[in-house]
Amino acid sequence: MENAKLNLGNMVIELPLVTGTMGEQAIDITNLRKDSGFITLDSGYQNTGSCKSAITYIDGEKGILKYRGVNIEELASKARFTEVAYFLVNGKFPDNGERLEFSQQLTENSMLHEDMIKFFHSVPPTAHPMSILSTMVNAMSIFYPQYFVDENDGEVFKLMASRLISKIRTIAAFSYKRSIGEPLVYPRHDLPYVGNFLNMMFDSPVKPYESDPDMERLLNMILILHADHEQNCSTSTVRLVGSSLVNLYSSVCAGICALWGPLHGGANQEVIEMLERIRNENLSIKTVLERAKDKNSNFKLSGFGHRVYRNFDPRMKILKQEAQSFLGNRKLDDPLMNIALELEAAALKDDYFVERKLYPNVDFYSGILYREMGFPTEMFTVLFAIGRMPGWIAQWKEMHDSVPFKIGRPRQIYTGPTEAHYPG
Ligand code: SDX
């Protein structure tokens, strides 16, 4: 079938079809309004594609996730996060020379401008680290005012990307240290990406951080799992804001704000708080599921459900396995893990969840791991943002390079008063 035919009264509108490399199909409505005067309406963009993209592929029915054609399982078990970051942003894995250059750029750009650090000493220690992160990332447009403008600024774009991927760790760690009243630990030039972050987080004058290869492997893998996820809410935000031609730092700042929401990346914090409430209030699994199904209660089973996955989220399967082996190897019996496993088992046998194809998503078990690794609950979404940073950058650049380049500006159907006047 070449075109779709749309019968609109006495009009028959022919609309071209678009087929992706994995066989997904779309109806191209670029000329719909011009040819028919009609627009489409699709709340939450459940059926609407905003772009063509070569970065990430998700098959929600089969639970498949690929970054530029490579299965997530392969990357999670074999790659380093910095390699995956380079791969997502540049479209290829780095050769030895590129790997060295990228590593040097990340090291050279791991510090924050000393005047930015003054900000940390003026925020209350109770400030949520996601609000600090979005503020400091946007502040990068003040302290590093060299912006990518067009394809000739490739070196500037690379520098901006390295600054974001590197400094997000420093901002995250500094916000944590401020929240516990400990001195800031600066990045070091002799530690790898994740080890440097863990050292900034957990090193202290009275208890030096000892490199833990198992923790570093685990966090490398978790960051890879979060690195991109096609046109999710925060990535679509980065693209939409970036389509006005504002700089990359400010576009990513908007994405961080979108990610913070409890329906999106903020769910990993919500899940732990939900599990703690179940434990502290000694709620039965039955009661919790009843509440989640009750339309009159605004309680949702956090970490469950997904706009795209109508099968298991492949990232969740890996995280669940890692959580079970991390706890098993350390002979830890985590009551929250036990509650999570019981909740999952009960929900997967409950018609309400089965009929709606609600499965645990990436956020359901990630918090269990973060908690066992020593991260405070409020840092969980910041960890999600560290992982997602290369994806946001890659998607922003792909949007920038798209032809034709269009500012994002959806239409609407007006439902307000037809005629009104100023009183008086
Ligand atoms: C992420 O998009 C991405 O790719 C995101 C992400 C990424 O990597 O970027 O994967 C990361 O954000 C994962 C999702 C994290 N959020 C949560 O865990 C919050 C809890 N989940 C829900 O709020 C919900 O499932 C969403 C927001 C994730 C998806 O919402 P949709 O697609 O709009 O689905 P919906 O709200 O229309 O739900 C369909 C039905 C409704 O019931 P009915 O109206 O059909 O009776 O399922 C119900 C919903 O009430 N439902 C839930 C539920 N999720 C959906 N009921 C109880 N508990 C839930 N968690």
PDB file of all heavy atoms in Angstrom, residues 229 232 262-265 267 292 295 300-307 315 352 356 358 361-363 384 388, ligand 1:
ATOM      1  N   HIS A 229      15.848   6.346  25.460  1.00  0.00           N
ATOM      2  CA  HIS A 229      14.606   5.565  25.370  1.00  0.00           C
ATOM      3  C   HIS A 229      13.641   6.205  24.391  1.00  0.00           C
ATOM      4  O   HIS A 229      12.475   6.421  24.702  1.00  0.00           O
ATOM      5  CB  HIS A 229      13.955   5.417  26.746  1.00  0.00           C
ATOM      6  CG  HIS A 229      13.266   4.087  26.892  1.00  0.00           C
ATOM      7  ND1 HIS A 229      11.940   3.966  27.156  1.00  0.00           N
ATOM      8  CD2 HIS A 229      13.740   2.829  26.778  1.00  0.00           C
ATOM      9  CE1 HIS A 229      11.603   2.681  27.211  1.00  0.00           C
ATOM     10  NE2 HIS A 229      12.687   1.964  26.978  1.00  0.00           N
ATOM     11  N   ASN A 232      10.562   9.615  24.835  1.00  0.00           N
ATOM     12  CA  ASN A 232       9.882   9.725  26.137  1.00  0.00           C
ATOM     13  C   ASN A 232       9.664  11.190  26.488  1.00  0.00           C
ATOM     14  O   ASN A 232      10.128  12.081  25.791  1.00  0.00           O
ATOM     15  CB  ASN A 232      10.739   9.032  27.190  1.00  0.00           C
ATOM     16  CG  ASN A 232      12.118   9.644  27.252  1.00  0.00           C
ATOM     17  OD1 ASN A 232      12.322  10.651  27.890  1.00  0.00           O
ATOM     18  ND2 ASN A 232      13.056   9.073  26.503  1.00  0.00           N
ATOM     19  N   PRO A 262       6.859  12.448  38.919  1.00  0.00           N
ATOM     20  CA  PRO A 262       6.642  11.081  39.425  1.00  0.00           C
ATOM     21  C   PRO A 262       6.042  10.134  38.383  1.00  0.00           C
ATOM     22  O   PRO A 262       6.098   8.928  38.533  1.00  0.00           O
ATOM     23  CB  PRO A 262       5.684  11.268  40.599  1.00  0.00           C
ATOM     24  CG  PRO A 262       5.082  12.596  40.426  1.00  0.00           C
ATOM     25  CD  PRO A 262       6.066  13.434  39.671  1.00  0.00           C
ATOM     26  N   LEU A 263       5.496  10.664  37.300  1.00  0.00           N
ATOM     27  CA  LEU A 263       4.993   9.771  36.247  1.00  0.00           C
ATOM     28  C   LEU A 263       6.127   9.321  35.338  1.00  0.00           C
ATOM     29  O   LEU A 263       5.978   8.417  34.536  1.00  0.00           O
ATOM     30  CB  LEU A 263       3.915  10.467  35.408  1.00  0.00           C
ATOM     31  CG  LEU A 263       2.588  10.774  36.109  1.00  0.00           C
ATOM     32  CD1 LEU A 263       1.585  11.337  35.102  1.00  0.00           C
ATOM     33  CD2 LEU A 263       2.011   9.546  36.799  1.00  0.00           C
ATOM     34  N   HIS A 264       7.288   9.980  35.462  1.00  0.00           N
ATOM     35  CA  HIS A 264       8.427   9.703  34.570  1.00  0.00           C
ATOM     36  C   HIS A 264       9.611   9.269  35.426  1.00  0.00           C
ATOM     37  O   HIS A 264       9.477   8.363  36.231  1.00  0.00           O
ATOM     38  CB  HIS A 264       8.674  10.965  33.725  1.00  0.00           C
ATOM     39  CG  HIS A 264       9.662  10.835  32.600  1.00  0.00           C
ATOM     40  ND1 HIS A 264      10.147   9.667  32.122  1.00  0.00           N
ATOM     41  CD2 HIS A 264      10.265  11.816  31.848  1.00  0.00           C
ATOM     42  CE1 HIS A 264      11.003   9.899  31.128  1.00  0.00           C
ATOM     43  NE2 HIS A 264      11.085  11.191  30.942  1.00  0.00           N
ATOM     44  N   GLY A 265      10.714   9.937  35.340  1.00  0.00           N
ATOM     45  CA  GLY A 265      11.912   9.482  36.073  1.00  0.00           C
ATOM     46  C   GLY A 265      11.775   9.565  37.581  1.00  0.00           C
ATOM     47  O   GLY A 265      12.444   8.846  38.315  1.00  0.00           O
ATOM     48  N   ALA A 267       9.629   8.386  39.275  1.00  0.00           N
ATOM     49  CA  ALA A 267       8.969   7.165  39.775  1.00  0.00           C
ATOM     50  C   ALA A 267       9.933   6.314  40.588  1.00  0.00           C
ATOM     51  O   ALA A 267       9.517   5.613  41.523  1.00  0.00           O
ATOM     52  CB  ALA A 267       8.399   6.356  38.623  1.00  0.00           C
ATOM     53  N   ALA A 292      -4.674   0.543  44.212  1.00  0.00           N
ATOM     54  CA  ALA A 292      -4.149   0.897  42.879  1.00  0.00           C
ATOM     55  C   ALA A 292      -5.244   0.788  41.823  1.00  0.00           C
ATOM     56  O   ALA A 292      -5.240   1.512  40.839  1.00  0.00           O
ATOM     57  CB  ALA A 292      -2.993  -0.021  42.518  1.00  0.00           C
ATOM     58  N   LYS A 295     -10.463   3.680  41.259  1.00  0.00           N
ATOM     59  CA  LYS A 295     -10.410   4.933  40.482  1.00  0.00           C
ATOM     60  C   LYS A 295     -10.619   6.160  41.364  1.00  0.00           C
ATOM     61  O   LYS A 295     -10.268   7.264  40.986  1.00  0.00           O
ATOM     62  CB  LYS A 295     -11.484   4.908  39.371  1.00  0.00           C
ATOM     63  CG  LYS A 295     -11.240   3.870  38.297  1.00  0.00           C
ATOM     64  CD  LYS A 295      -9.915   4.083  37.582  1.00  0.00           C
ATOM     65  CE  LYS A 295      -9.561   2.920  36.680  1.00  0.00           C
ATOM     66  NZ  LYS A 295      -8.131   2.851  36.374  1.00  0.00           N
ATOM     67  N   LYS A 300      -1.384   5.155  42.537  1.00  0.00           N
ATOM     68  CA  LYS A 300      -0.980   4.295  41.423  1.00  0.00           C
ATOM     69  C   LYS A 300       0.146   3.426  41.937  1.00  0.00           C
ATOM     70  O   LYS A 300       0.892   3.813  42.829  1.00  0.00           O
ATOM     71  CB  LYS A 300      -0.475   5.145  40.250  1.00  0.00           C
ATOM     72  CG  LYS A 300      -1.588   5.706  39.368  1.00  0.00           C
ATOM     73  CD  LYS A 300      -1.016   6.153  38.039  1.00  0.00           C
ATOM     74  CE  LYS A 300      -2.014   6.912  37.227  1.00  0.00           C
ATOM     75  NZ  LYS A 300      -2.895   6.056  36.425  1.00  0.00           N
ATOM     76  N   LEU A 301       0.280   2.266  41.342  1.00  0.00           N
ATOM     77  CA  LEU A 301       1.380   1.385  41.695  1.00  0.00           C
ATOM     78  C   LEU A 301       2.632   1.919  40.994  1.00  0.00           C
ATOM     79  O   LEU A 301       2.848   1.681  39.804  1.00  0.00           O
ATOM     80  CB  LEU A 301       1.070  -0.040  41.214  1.00  0.00           C
ATOM     81  CG  LEU A 301       1.785  -1.167  41.891  1.00  0.00           C
ATOM     82  CD1 LEU A 301       1.659  -1.089  43.397  1.00  0.00           C
ATOM     83  CD2 LEU A 301       1.240  -2.502  41.407  1.00  0.00           C
ATOM     84  N   SER A 302       3.413   2.718  41.714  1.00  0.00           N
ATOM     85  CA  SER A 302       4.557   3.328  41.060  1.00  0.00           C
ATOM     86  C   SER A 302       5.536   2.282  40.575  1.00  0.00           C
ATOM     87  O   SER A 302       5.718   1.242  41.209  1.00  0.00           O
ATOM     88  CB  SER A 302       5.271   4.274  42.028  1.00  0.00           C
ATOM     89  OG  SER A 302       5.557   5.453  41.333  1.00  0.00           O
ATOM     90  N   GLY A 303       6.145   2.518  39.435  1.00  0.00           N
ATOM     91  CA  GLY A 303       7.074   1.557  38.843  1.00  0.00           C
ATOM     92  C   GLY A 303       6.362   0.524  37.996  1.00  0.00           C
ATOM     93  O   GLY A 303       6.989  -0.393  37.477  1.00  0.00           O
ATOM     94  N   PHE A 304       5.014   0.693  37.881  1.00  0.00           N
ATOM     95  CA  PHE A 304       4.239  -0.242  37.051  1.00  0.00           C
ATOM     96  C   PHE A 304       3.603   0.507  35.883  1.00  0.00           C
ATOM     97  O   PHE A 304       3.194   1.654  36.023  1.00  0.00           O
ATOM     98  CB  PHE A 304       3.131  -0.878  37.899  1.00  0.00           C
ATOM     99  CG  PHE A 304       3.397  -2.308  38.254  1.00  0.00           C
ATOM    100  CD1 PHE A 304       4.330  -2.615  39.239  1.00  0.00           C
ATOM    101  CD2 PHE A 304       2.766  -3.345  37.580  1.00  0.00           C
ATOM    102  CE1 PHE A 304       4.602  -3.928  39.561  1.00  0.00           C
ATOM    103  CE2 PHE A 304       3.034  -4.672  37.907  1.00  0.00           C
ATOM    104  CZ  PHE A 304       3.956  -4.959  38.895  1.00  0.00           C
ATOM    105  N   GLY A 305       3.535  -0.145  34.758  1.00  0.00           N
ATOM    106  CA  GLY A 305       2.886   0.434  33.586  1.00  0.00           C
ATOM    107  C   GLY A 305       3.879   1.185  32.728  1.00  0.00           C
ATOM    108  O   GLY A 305       4.938   1.613  33.214  1.00  0.00           O
ATOM    109  N   HIS A 306       3.539   1.318  31.450  1.00  0.00           N
ATOM    110  CA  HIS A 306       4.437   2.048  30.536  1.00  0.00           C
ATOM    111  C   HIS A 306       3.662   2.404  29.270  1.00  0.00           C
ATOM    112  O   HIS A 306       2.816   1.624  28.832  1.00  0.00           O
ATOM    113  CB  HIS A 306       5.649   1.169  30.165  1.00  0.00           C
ATOM    114  CG  HIS A 306       6.794   1.960  29.614  1.00  0.00           C
ATOM    115  ND1 HIS A 306       6.861   2.320  28.291  1.00  0.00           N
ATOM    116  CD2 HIS A 306       7.877   2.493  30.211  1.00  0.00           C
ATOM    117  CE1 HIS A 306       7.953   3.025  28.088  1.00  0.00           C
ATOM    118  NE2 HIS A 306       8.598   3.159  29.235  1.00  0.00           N
ATOM    119  N   ARG A 307       3.923   3.569  28.723  1.00  0.00           N
ATOM    120  CA  ARG A 307       3.227   3.987  27.507  1.00  0.00           C
ATOM    121  C   ARG A 307       3.562   3.058  26.342  1.00  0.00           C
ATOM    122  O   ARG A 307       2.716   2.774  25.508  1.00  0.00           O
ATOM    123  CB  ARG A 307       3.645   5.417  27.160  1.00  0.00           C
ATOM    124  CG  ARG A 307       3.143   5.937  25.821  1.00  0.00           C
ATOM    125  CD  ARG A 307       1.640   5.970  25.726  1.00  0.00           C
ATOM    126  NE  ARG A 307       0.990   6.743  26.744  1.00  0.00           N
ATOM    127  CZ  ARG A 307       0.925   8.067  26.752  1.00  0.00           C
ATOM    128  NH1 ARG A 307       1.518   8.768  25.817  1.00  0.00           N
ATOM    129  NH2 ARG A 307       0.257   8.694  27.703  1.00  0.00           N
ATOM    130  N   ARG A 315      14.732  -3.636  30.546  1.00  0.00           N
ATOM    131  CA  ARG A 315      15.661  -3.049  31.535  1.00  0.00           C
ATOM    132  C   ARG A 315      15.294  -3.540  32.938  1.00  0.00           C
ATOM    133  O   ARG A 315      16.145  -3.783  33.786  1.00  0.00           O
ATOM    134  CB  ARG A 315      15.584  -1.522  31.458  1.00  0.00           C
ATOM    135  CG  ARG A 315      15.876  -0.934  30.088  1.00  0.00           C
ATOM    136  CD  ARG A 315      15.471   0.511  29.989  1.00  0.00           C
ATOM    137  NE  ARG A 315      14.027   0.663  30.160  1.00  0.00           N
ATOM    138  CZ  ARG A 315      13.437   1.857  30.172  1.00  0.00           C
ATOM    139  NH1 ARG A 315      14.138   2.970  30.047  1.00  0.00           N
ATOM    140  NH2 ARG A 315      12.117   1.944  30.346  1.00  0.00           N
ATOM    141  N   TYR A 352      -6.925  -6.883  36.559  1.00  0.00           N
ATOM    142  CA  TYR A 352      -6.844  -5.440  36.267  1.00  0.00           C
ATOM    143  C   TYR A 352      -5.510  -5.133  35.572  1.00  0.00           C
ATOM    144  O   TYR A 352      -5.459  -4.446  34.560  1.00  0.00           O
ATOM    145  CB  TYR A 352      -6.963  -4.652  37.570  1.00  0.00           C
ATOM    146  CG  TYR A 352      -6.716  -3.169  37.444  1.00  0.00           C
ATOM    147  CD1 TYR A 352      -7.770  -2.268  37.249  1.00  0.00           C
ATOM    148  CD2 TYR A 352      -5.413  -2.649  37.503  1.00  0.00           C
ATOM    149  CE1 TYR A 352      -7.542  -0.909  37.128  1.00  0.00           C
ATOM    150  CE2 TYR A 352      -5.180  -1.286  37.376  1.00  0.00           C
ATOM    151  CZ  TYR A 352      -6.238  -0.424  37.194  1.00  0.00           C
ATOM    152  OH  TYR A 352      -6.006   0.921  37.055  1.00  0.00           O
ATOM    153  N   ARG A 356      -4.787  -4.628  31.338  1.00  0.00           N
ATOM    154  CA  ARG A 356      -4.200  -3.352  30.884  1.00  0.00           C
ATOM    155  C   ARG A 356      -2.730  -3.501  30.502  1.00  0.00           C
ATOM    156  O   ARG A 356      -2.066  -2.520  30.200  1.00  0.00           O
ATOM    157  CB  ARG A 356      -4.373  -2.296  31.972  1.00  0.00           C
ATOM    158  CG  ARG A 356      -5.830  -1.884  32.177  1.00  0.00           C
ATOM    159  CD  ARG A 356      -6.034  -1.109  33.450  1.00  0.00           C
ATOM    160  NE  ARG A 356      -7.415  -0.694  33.597  1.00  0.00           N
ATOM    161  CZ  ARG A 356      -8.385  -1.491  34.019  1.00  0.00           C
ATOM    162  NH1 ARG A 356      -8.116  -2.770  34.324  1.00  0.00           N
ATOM    163  NH2 ARG A 356      -9.634  -1.050  34.122  1.00  0.00           N
ATOM    164  N   LEU A 358      -0.117  -4.074  32.316  1.00  0.00           N
ATOM    165  CA  LEU A 358       0.724  -3.257  33.210  1.00  0.00           C
ATOM    166  C   LEU A 358       1.807  -4.136  33.827  1.00  0.00           C
ATOM    167  O   LEU A 358       1.529  -5.017  34.626  1.00  0.00           O
ATOM    168  CB  LEU A 358      -0.148  -2.649  34.308  1.00  0.00           C
ATOM    169  CG  LEU A 358      -1.285  -1.740  33.831  1.00  0.00           C
ATOM    170  CD1 LEU A 358      -2.111  -1.266  35.017  1.00  0.00           C
ATOM    171  CD2 LEU A 358      -0.757  -0.544  33.053  1.00  0.00           C
ATOM    172  N   ASN A 361       8.217  -1.537  35.348  1.00  0.00           N
ATOM    173  CA  ASN A 361       9.091  -0.850  34.396  1.00  0.00           C
ATOM    174  C   ASN A 361      10.470  -0.616  34.994  1.00  0.00           C
ATOM    175  O   ASN A 361      10.760  -1.099  36.095  1.00  0.00           O
ATOM    176  CB  ASN A 361       8.442   0.467  33.934  1.00  0.00           C
ATOM    177  CG  ASN A 361       8.141   1.400  35.099  1.00  0.00           C
ATOM    178  OD1 ASN A 361       9.020   1.667  35.927  1.00  0.00           O
ATOM    179  ND2 ASN A 361       6.910   1.842  35.216  1.00  0.00           N
ATOM    180  N   VAL A 362      11.279   0.142  34.304  1.00  0.00           N
ATOM    181  CA  VAL A 362      12.687   0.335  34.695  1.00  0.00           C
ATOM    182  C   VAL A 362      12.810   0.870  36.126  1.00  0.00           C
ATOM    183  O   VAL A 362      13.801   0.622  36.810  1.00  0.00           O
ATOM    184  CB  VAL A 362      13.389   1.307  33.711  1.00  0.00           C
ATOM    185  CG1 VAL A 362      12.810   2.727  33.820  1.00  0.00           C
ATOM    186  CG2 VAL A 362      14.890   1.310  33.910  1.00  0.00           C
ATOM    187  N   ASP A 363      11.778   1.580  36.581  1.00  0.00           N
ATOM    188  CA  ASP A 363      11.893   2.230  37.901  1.00  0.00           C
ATOM    189  C   ASP A 363      11.533   1.318  39.064  1.00  0.00           C
ATOM    190  O   ASP A 363      11.700   1.702  40.217  1.00  0.00           O
ATOM    191  CB  ASP A 363      10.986   3.475  37.934  1.00  0.00           C
ATOM    192  CG  ASP A 363      11.490   4.543  36.983  1.00  0.00           C
ATOM    193  OD1 ASP A 363      12.705   4.816  37.015  1.00  0.00           O
ATOM    194  OD2 ASP A 363      10.695   5.067  36.179  1.00  0.00           O
ATOM    195  N   PHE A 384      19.193   8.677  37.397  1.00  0.00           N
ATOM    196  CA  PHE A 384      18.510   8.451  36.112  1.00  0.00           C
ATOM    197  C   PHE A 384      18.991   9.508  35.105  1.00  0.00           C
ATOM    198  O   PHE A 384      19.336   9.184  33.966  1.00  0.00           O
ATOM    199  CB  PHE A 384      16.991   8.553  36.311  1.00  0.00           C
ATOM    200  CG  PHE A 384      16.146   8.060  35.172  1.00  0.00           C
ATOM    201  CD1 PHE A 384      14.973   7.368  35.429  1.00  0.00           C
ATOM    202  CD2 PHE A 384      16.469   8.288  33.843  1.00  0.00           C
ATOM    203  CE1 PHE A 384      14.150   6.900  34.396  1.00  0.00           C
ATOM    204  CE2 PHE A 384      15.662   7.843  32.794  1.00  0.00           C
ATOM    205  CZ  PHE A 384      14.508   7.141  33.079  1.00  0.00           C
ATOM    206  N   ARG A 388      20.729   9.224  31.446  1.00  0.00           N
ATOM    207  CA  ARG A 388      19.979   9.695  30.268  1.00  0.00           C
ATOM    208  C   ARG A 388      20.669  10.824  29.527  1.00  0.00           C
ATOM    209  O   ARG A 388      20.333  11.112  28.370  1.00  0.00           O
ATOM    210  CB  ARG A 388      18.581  10.144  30.723  1.00  0.00           C
ATOM    211  CG  ARG A 388      17.605  10.529  29.647  1.00  0.00           C
ATOM    212  CD  ARG A 388      17.384   9.508  28.537  1.00  0.00           C
ATOM    213  NE  ARG A 388      17.059   8.182  28.976  1.00  0.00           N
ATOM    214  CZ  ARG A 388      15.829   7.731  29.181  1.00  0.00           C
ATOM    215  NH1 ARG A 388      14.809   8.543  29.033  1.00  0.00           N
ATOM    216  NH2 ARG A 388      15.608   6.489  29.547  1.00  0.00           N
TER     217      ARG A 388
HETATM  218  C1  SDX B   1       9.573   6.080  32.757  1.00  0.00           C
HETATM  219  O1  SDX B   1       8.219   6.853  28.085  1.00  0.00           O
HETATM  220  C2  SDX B   1       9.322   6.286  28.505  1.00  0.00           C
HETATM  221  O2  SDX B   1      10.041   5.654  27.783  1.00  0.00           O
HETATM  222  C3  SDX B   1       9.652   6.538  29.981  1.00  0.00           C
HETATM  223  C4  SDX B   1      10.809   5.759  30.559  1.00  0.00           C
HETATM  224  C5  SDX B   1      12.143   6.197  29.965  1.00  0.00           C
HETATM  225  O3  SDX B   1      13.084   5.389  29.998  1.00  0.00           O
HETATM  226  O4  SDX B   1      12.253   7.399  29.584  1.00  0.00           O
HETATM  227  O5  SDX B   1      10.618   4.363  30.335  1.00  0.00           O
HETATM  228  C6  SDX B   1      10.910   5.987  32.070  1.00  0.00           C
HETATM  229  O6  SDX B   1       9.059   7.156  32.896  1.00  0.00           O
HETATM  230  C7  SDX B   1       8.891   4.800  33.187  1.00  0.00           C
HETATM  231  C8  SDX B   1       7.466   5.058  33.776  1.00  0.00           C
HETATM  232  C9  SDX B   1       7.627   5.495  35.209  1.00  0.00           C
HETATM  233  N1  SDX B   1       6.332   5.911  35.782  1.00  0.00           N
HETATM  234  C10 SDX B   1       5.663   5.160  36.663  1.00  0.00           C
HETATM  235  O7  SDX B   1       6.035   4.053  37.055  1.00  0.00           O
HETATM  236  C11 SDX B   1       4.395   5.803  37.235  1.00  0.00           C
HETATM  237  C12 SDX B   1       3.256   4.786  37.301  1.00  0.00           C
HETATM  238  N2  SDX B   1       2.833   4.478  35.950  1.00  0.00           N
HETATM  239  C13 SDX B   1       1.682   5.190  35.406  1.00  0.00           C
HETATM  240  O8  SDX B   1       1.519   6.478  35.871  1.00  0.00           O
HETATM  241  C14 SDX B   1       1.515   4.981  33.891  1.00  0.00           C
HETATM  242  O9  SDX B   1       1.599   3.645  33.683  1.00  0.00           O
HETATM  243  C15 SDX B   1       2.456   5.702  32.937  1.00  0.00           C
HETATM  244  C16 SDX B   1       2.522   7.168  33.204  1.00  0.00           C
HETATM  245  C17 SDX B   1       3.827   5.131  33.005  1.00  0.00           C
HETATM  246  C18 SDX B   1       1.914   5.467  31.527  1.00  0.00           C
HETATM  247  O10 SDX B   1       0.729   6.143  31.433  1.00  0.00           O
HETATM  248  P1  SDX B   1      -0.230   5.983  30.128  1.00  0.00           P
HETATM  249  O11 SDX B   1       0.484   5.345  29.009  1.00  0.00           O
HETATM  250  O12 SDX B   1      -0.873   7.317  29.890  1.00  0.00           O
HETATM  251  O13 SDX B   1      -1.289   4.939  30.599  1.00  0.00           O
HETATM  252  P2  SDX B   1      -2.664   5.297  31.280  1.00  0.00           P
HETATM  253  O14 SDX B   1      -2.420   6.203  32.460  1.00  0.00           O
HETATM  254  O15 SDX B   1      -3.606   5.729  30.219  1.00  0.00           O
HETATM  255  O16 SDX B   1      -3.081   3.857  31.861  1.00  0.00           O
HETATM  256  C19 SDX B   1      -3.918   2.982  31.130  1.00  0.00           C
HETATM  257  C20 SDX B   1      -4.757   2.312  32.216  1.00  0.00           C
HETATM  258  C21 SDX B   1      -5.579   3.319  33.053  1.00  0.00           C
HETATM  259  O17 SDX B   1      -6.696   2.620  33.552  1.00  0.00           O
HETATM  260  P3  SDX B   1      -8.114   2.725  32.737  1.00  0.00           P
HETATM  261  O18 SDX B   1      -8.409   4.184  32.515  1.00  0.00           O
HETATM  262  O19 SDX B   1      -7.873   1.956  31.442  1.00  0.00           O
HETATM  263  O20 SDX B   1      -9.115   2.044  33.635  1.00  0.00           O
HETATM  264  O21 SDX B   1      -3.892   1.637  33.160  1.00  0.00           O
HETATM  265  C22 SDX B   1      -4.042   2.230  34.444  1.00  0.00           C
HETATM  266  C23 SDX B   1      -4.668   3.601  34.223  1.00  0.00           C
HETATM  267  O22 SDX B   1      -5.383   4.015  35.393  1.00  0.00           O
HETATM  268  N3  SDX B   1      -2.702   2.335  35.021  1.00  0.00           N
HETATM  269  C24 SDX B   1      -2.393   2.082  36.282  1.00  0.00           C
HETATM  270  C25 SDX B   1      -1.002   2.268  36.377  1.00  0.00           C
HETATM  271  N4  SDX B   1      -0.515   2.638  35.196  1.00  0.00           N
HETATM  272  C26 SDX B   1      -1.576   2.683  34.352  1.00  0.00           C
HETATM  273  N5  SDX B   1      -3.153   1.710  37.333  1.00  0.00           N
HETATM  274  C27 SDX B   1      -2.488   1.526  38.507  1.00  0.00           C
HETATM  275  N6  SDX B   1      -1.158   1.683  38.677  1.00  0.00           N
HETATM  276  C28 SDX B   1      -0.378   2.057  37.636  1.00  0.00           C
HETATM  277  N7  SDX B   1       0.929   2.216  37.799  1.00  0.00           N
END
